Amino acid sequence: MRFFTRLLLSVLFCTCASAGAAPASEDGYDLWLRYRALPAAEAARLAPHARAIVAPATTSPMLDAAIGELQRGVGGWLGTAPARTDEVRAGAIVLAMPATRGATAAWFDGLGQEGYRVLRTRLEGQSVTVIAANTDRGLLYGSFAYLRGIATDGAQKAPDLRSTPRLPLRLLNHWDDLNRHVERGYAGASIWHWWNLPDILDQRYTDYARANASLGINGAVLNNVNAKPDILTAPFIAKAAALANVLRPYGIKVYLSVRWSTPLELKATATADPLDPAVAAWWRAKSDELYAAIPDFGGFLVKANSEGQPGPHDYHRSHAEGANMLARAVAPHGGIVMWRAFVYSEDKPTDRARQAFDQFTPLDGQFDKNVIVQVKNGPIDFQPREPVHPLFGAMPRTPLLMEFQITKEYLGFSTHLAYLGTMFEETLRTDLRPGIGAGGQAATVTRVLDGTLDHGQATGMAGVANIGTDRNWSGSHFDQANWYVFGRLAWNPEAGAEAIAREWAAQTFSRAPRVVDTVSAMMMASREAVVDYMTPLGLHHVMGTGHHHGPAPWVDNLARPDWNPVYYHRADKAGIGFDRTAHGKGGSGSAGQYAPALARLYEDPASTPENLLLWFHHLPWTYTTRSGRPLWDELVHRYDAGVTAVAAMQKQWDSLAPYIDPQRHADTAQRLKVQHREALWWRDASIAYFQSINGLPLPAGARAPAQSLDDYKALKFPYPPGNG
Amino acid sequence: MRFFTRLLLSVLFCTCASAGAAPASEDGYDLWLRYRALPAAEAARLAPHARAIVAPATTSPMLDAAIGELQRGVGGWLGTAPARTDEVRAGAIVLAMPATRGATAAWFDGLGQEGYRVLRTRLEGQSVTVIAANTDRGLLYGSFAYLRGIATDGAQKAPDLRSTPRLPLRLLNHWDDLNRHVERGYAGASIWHWWNLPDILDQRYTDYARANASLGINGAVLNNVNAKPDILTAPFIAKAAALANVLRPYGIKVYLSVRWSTPLELKATATADPLDPAVAAWWRAKSDELYAAIPDFGGFLVKANSEGQPGPHDYHRSHAEGANMLARAVAPHGGIVMWRAFVYSEDKPTDRARQAFDQFTPLDGQFDKNVIVQVKNGPIDFQPREPVHPLFGAMPRTPLLMEFQITKEYLGFSTHLAYLGTMFEETLRTDLRPGIGAGGQAATVTRVLDGTLDHGQATGMAGVANIGTDRNWSGSHFDQANWYVFGRLAWNPEAGAEAIAREWAAQTFSRAPRVVDTVSAMMMASREAVVDYMTPLGLHHVMGTGHHHGPAPWVDNLARPDWNPVYYHRADKAGIGFDRTAHGKGGSGSAGQYAPALARLYEDPASTPENLLLWFHHLPWTYTTRSGRPLWDELVHRYDAGVTAVAAMQKQWDSLAPYIDPQRHADTAQRLKVQHREALWWRDASIAYFQSINGLPLPAGARAPAQSLDDYKALKFPYPPGNG
């Protein structure tokens, strides 16, 4: 009886809610967890199968979180939340563990500690939906998977899902300063309100945790890798502990970035030398203090001897000596140390792209078991396109963690639409030993991370977060997709960027096929568009100084050679590109850092993928590219293609106006308009500059830049977000 | 027919929505404009009178804004928004101007350009609700007043409202930097996303405008008074123009803070001397440029020769010479200059409290007609309690604008609950010539602002905004009330802080009398509690250096004497307080700056209001206060009273748990808990310090401070919000 009343109400409510022509405005705060009232037909399909939630009587915060989310989701869709009960009844959602009465052992096969199974079956004679797992964490992930299933298919099919994560460490790295500035943040201030912590707990912390749990993200490094000593003082440990308490029920561990010289700067020791017993003792005591406050504390992330940060080199110690000292402090508590490989020499003028490899490969095998070396996806710095970092596959005795950047430091901030799923996937799928694994599995980067390629230890992925206080969390609605795809790929690196784009679009905007097809098509083409209008054919690091906004290929006046765009593109009258072939051929030798099969490809322009051509080769402007066009013509062609692709995205988005709520539609349309103008600017400024170098005429039919090179050089960008 | 369907749906929906025990969680984004579905009985009362909106056929953006808000409000309450039509029908809301067919001339009597009349009447034979005004601005304000009426009384009575604003300038001052930092901001980053402007217009700008329009606020100074030259460059003018376009339909003009030396710093002139023709010409041309972009631009706000800012004194010119030069640049366009009187000598060691008076009174009569001198409510700097600023009433030939601080720089940031309505009212109601006006109207500060006391020109009030990107806008839910009461008092300085607290509580939380009574009681007692536990009996400026958080009466090491707390409290073995009586009596003479009748009161401790005792007098610790207690005992008693009052607020708030949604209830409870702990800290640290000076035992029964004075002195507060 109550059920039919509820259904009637839902139907009436939905009729009412959908009376207007356009969907109601949304601000994006709900991310992909929107749970808006279902259309009547879908509600009628779901309601008979979501009448109650049956859960183990002995509860836990994580189980409560799972049930809370199921109630929120089903409650949002149907108008009334299913009640929790401990008796199986027809139409219930049953959260089952192996000890659950009537549970089938096969449900739990191979689920491990984090996996789940969701199926429609009979239990104690009743038709129910089972979410099965060996742990309450598995039930949490299974509950989110169940909800995702309904959100993407409208309860058309009986749920039938099974998944286990391939990587154990699925982490966000927040580059959030203690004053709430976010380095490379384009979504407002830090969501961590350090000043108000530990006493005042914003609802946003919980909603952040829910969003991450929905993806399987299980760790968060709370503060910037450019860390301050304060983070390890008692007041800040208490603040971090308060956050840990909010995140724990959602399966998320807290980690901290630490400054190498903390004990010295806090005047607790006279040195930061890792081999000084007093220093090691300080770190051990500090770790004990941390674990007393946060029993499941994850560990430390360290940026050392990198871009001015202190580190063990200051004491003539190696990265391994530095990392191991910290690792021994957290080892008794089960903690880990993530030691970043983003280093480039403080003094040596060798090719920056090769320096991390040069510094770290000699240390392979010297790191303690609980040290993981965290490596950026490419050897320079989060460019729109880079080749894979040569360290992957080159440290067989050292577990490596992937560091992706979710925030778009070099890809148009939160203004430009650029779906990073294709970029992440491109790296993860790179075959490090092409041809070698012909008989079996390719030697992909994913297999470095899951440990099957060499060292045997599965690690994971870290993503530099794009999250801030902006109401939609990520600055733009489409940038939510980059958080989403990072999490989904961290769970399963082979899930497929397009499939993930489709499920994100369905949850975030609408299940209408027209919407899913169009939005995912925009997303899938978007990153290549950015590469084309910013850094085609393997160009890189030609952005404006410091803020990294807009084109500045002309910059040649910075203190270090390898901070200057001219260092990277090396354009001259004769040609363009960075020769990274073997020393014997006059190159920097970076191509030779890859495994031989891959290095061979990169040594020869003819076999180098054209999208990395100028990364590895300095070529004459007349070099014939695969299209048959000379290099200069091809370059201009690519810039144009990038601009054209943005115009196409604008048209695609415009066509969706009837399907998307006005607020999110207008916001995105505004950003696409800016992106189009800035794509043109990138094209024009780049062409004007390179033409000033090579003196060549524009290819036939190509439009001249709208302004003079001096005009572009004169542009100033005060107060950029995310800087410094 | 449609009406009954709508009503039925509303009733069903409301039944459904209120099925749970507690109200649904809210995040505070909707402020006092919540428009949640009405209970059935109230909906049934409202619906017959809100069936349509009849509006003039010739529309305007402001009229559209009024209609949009009526549709949003009624639509939220009833489930369906009334349609706009141009034909009068029964049960319609009619927006009437004098030319409206059938309109009664008396409706418009005395409404001027901004006032409104709302009444239930008959028009063309139909029963309608009329919102009448002479202008579309009046209709906008009237529409918000209509909605406020329903929100506060649940549509019990037929509306019958009439109001005109007493002050023409009702302004927010945003101390927002161009990098989105907010000086003295405790609600996140600046809502102005300068980087994304002018192309990307956040929905938040519109919602900000709606909230202000609902109060009658009609101007916003967008940027910090510590201004950067960039704000007057072409890109930033375009950004400001884009904001002006969003705010204009809500009746809000844009103003800018400008840096005195802008043309010099932009290298457009060789000096910033106001008498240099090139400087004046630059400002004229810049004003022309501004008005070309923003035709209704309001004018400039200037902080000059104050706290390191440049100004006309740098060229040996007076404030009047500086202000007039700018005023002549904007005068042809109808613009104004607001010149801040918050100055204290760069070199002279006289009492800081007297310096603005000393500098400005000689200039009375020298300012151009379109210059308004903007004066803080008190002579020091936004303390929890100050006497009125002596400039009020002392510049009979110069219009003065009141500057209140809505953001709580010195009153516990956004953590402590402190309703500022009582503080604003205390200033506005201060009788500047007590006894003199016995036969007629008192010489209140309000009458300085409305021009009736002396200079004849009505000015207004500026409030330093407490608005940021926090989801609830103001950092805490209760701080929304300070934005609200500022706006309501700017419209009518005599509206009454308690009445305003009650209408805010009803709209923001619930119309339930229990809620309105309890919330308004908390609010009305809250500011006095803060005064008691921070700065009782006229103490002032004893807060921590720079960040102004927490007690630091011991600080004596800052560069300028008048930056040190010891300068202000002057405690020694014998006594405490700042002697501001006449020079002849050994005081600083500040008391004598007030009109004679008021000065006489302040010269004598016996007639000085006890809450300002130590502001004006240095008294022995044994001085007998009005309670009969010696001064030292009374001081301790006040600290205790402050702490006790916070404990009482906690209990009051706890009792409201059944009536308030869990999210807002929990957030406020957390803040009250912090406030209680920090009130204790204020008490204990202050007592420990003063005891170290006077060596006196604690009064009988008083609890000793929990920690040692050194413990309190050792506390550090890195990364405070709003600093610098």
Side-chain angles (χ1 to χ4, degrees), chain A residues 8-23:
Chain A
L8 176 68
L9 282 172
S10 310
V11 173
L12 285 173
F13 172 55
C14 301
T15 312
C16 165
S18 62

Side-chain angles (χ1 to χ4, degrees), chain A residues 340-680:
Chain A
R340 291 175 90 232
F342 177 64
V343 299
Y344 47 97
S345 168
E346 298 88 346
D347 38 36
K348 286 185 216 144
T350 60
D351 177 8
R352 175 170 152 186
R354 61 170 299 143
Q355 297 182 15
F357 182 98
D358 290 345
Q359 286 192 36
F360 273 83
T361 50
L363 303 175
D364 192 27
Q366 295 182 25
F367 290 98
D368 275 16
K369 264 196 337 194
N370 61 331
V371 175
I372 301 178
V373 173
Q374 180 165 319
V375 183
K376 289 186 182 185
N377 60 293
I380 295 290
D381 190 16
F382 298 136
Q383 295 304 295
R385 172 166 277 119
E386 299 196 29
V388 70
H389 200 296
L391 276 174
F392 289 107
M395 301 273 286
R397 298 167 65 198
T398 307
L400 303 183
L401 192 80
M402 173 64 71
E403 180 176 311
F404 284 127
Q405 194 180 41
I406 306 172
T407 189
K408 304 208 311 298
E409 174 180 356
Y410 293 99
L411 290 99
F413 299 1
S414 56
T415 316
H416 295 205
L417 196 165
Y419 173 57
L420 302 180
T422 48
M423 184 170 95
F424 298 159
E425 185 172 74
E426 181 175 295
T427 300
L428 293 167
R429 289 186 175 176
T430 300
D431 187 348
L432 297 165
R433 299 166 196 169
I436 306 294
Q441 264 191 295
T444 60
V445 172
T446 293
R447 293 187 53 226
V448 176
L449 304 182
D450 74 8
T452 61
L453 189 67
D454 39 37
H455 53 71
Q457 183 183 332
T459 58
M461 285 165 45
V464 180
N466 67 346
I467 296 164
T469 52
D470 274 6
R471 203 155 152 77
N472 65 16
W473 298 85
S474 301
S476 76
H477 298 291
F478 270 88
D479 275 311
Q480 297 178 350
N482 292 324
W483 178 6
Y484 187 91
V485 70
F486 168 79
R488 296 288 283 151
L489 287 173
W491 179 278
N492 176 12
E494 292 177 350
E498 181 160 15
I500 294 171
R502 294 183 68 85
E503 68 177 42
W504 175 80
Q507 293 171 85
T508 302
F509 291 118
S510 160
R511 276 186 296 282
R514 170 86 184 262
V515 173
V516 174
D517 291 346
T518 308
V519 167
S520 61
M522 291 169 65
M523 292 165 75
M524 291 303 290
S526 61
R527 179 256 187 157
E528 206 62 40
V530 173
V531 171
D532 275 345
Y533 64 71
M534 285 188 183
T535 55
L537 298 173
L539 289 178
H540 51 287
H541 221 304
V542 292
M543 288 77 178
T545 304
H547 48 67
H548 300 157
H549 170 72
W554 47 80
V555 170
D556 59 2
N557 59 351
L558 303 180
R560 288 180 60 128
D562 55 0
W563 286 348
N564 286 301
V566 298
Y567 170 91
Y568 293 102
H569 64 67
R570 309 199 162 204
D572 56 26
K573 183 85 186 161
I576 184 172
F578 198 132
D579 186 355
R580 292 194 166 103
T581 61
H583 291 304
K585 296 194 275 177
S588 74
S590 299
Q593 292 180 327
Y594 294 93
L598 195 52
R600 267 195 301 278
L601 289 182
Y602 293 156
E603 287 285 348
D604 182 355
S607 58
T608 300
E610 197 160 64
N611 61 26
L612 293 172
L613 194 61
L614 304 178
W615 185 284
F616 286 111
H617 304 283
H618 186 85
L619 298 170
W621 294 104
T622 53
Y623 175 85
T624 303
T625 63
R626 282 166 211 177
S627 65
R629 284 183 282 264
L631 178 55
W632 169 236
D633 292 28
E634 181 67 18
L635 204 58
V636 175
H637 172 75
R638 295 284 179 149
Y639 287 125
D640 277 326
V643 176
T644 304
V646 178
M649 285 202 292
Q650 287 184 283
K651 274 205 183 135
Q652 287 169 299
W653 186 249
D654 287 348
S655 78
L656 295 181
Y659 305 93
I660 312 276
D661 63 283
Q663 186 172 341
R664 291 189 296 169
H665 194 273
D667 185 84
T668 302
Q670 289 177 343
R671 286 167 203 273
L672 286 168
K673 191 174 163 196
V674 174
Q675 184 175 8
H676 186 253
R677 192 186 63 222
E678 294 187 348
L680 267 172

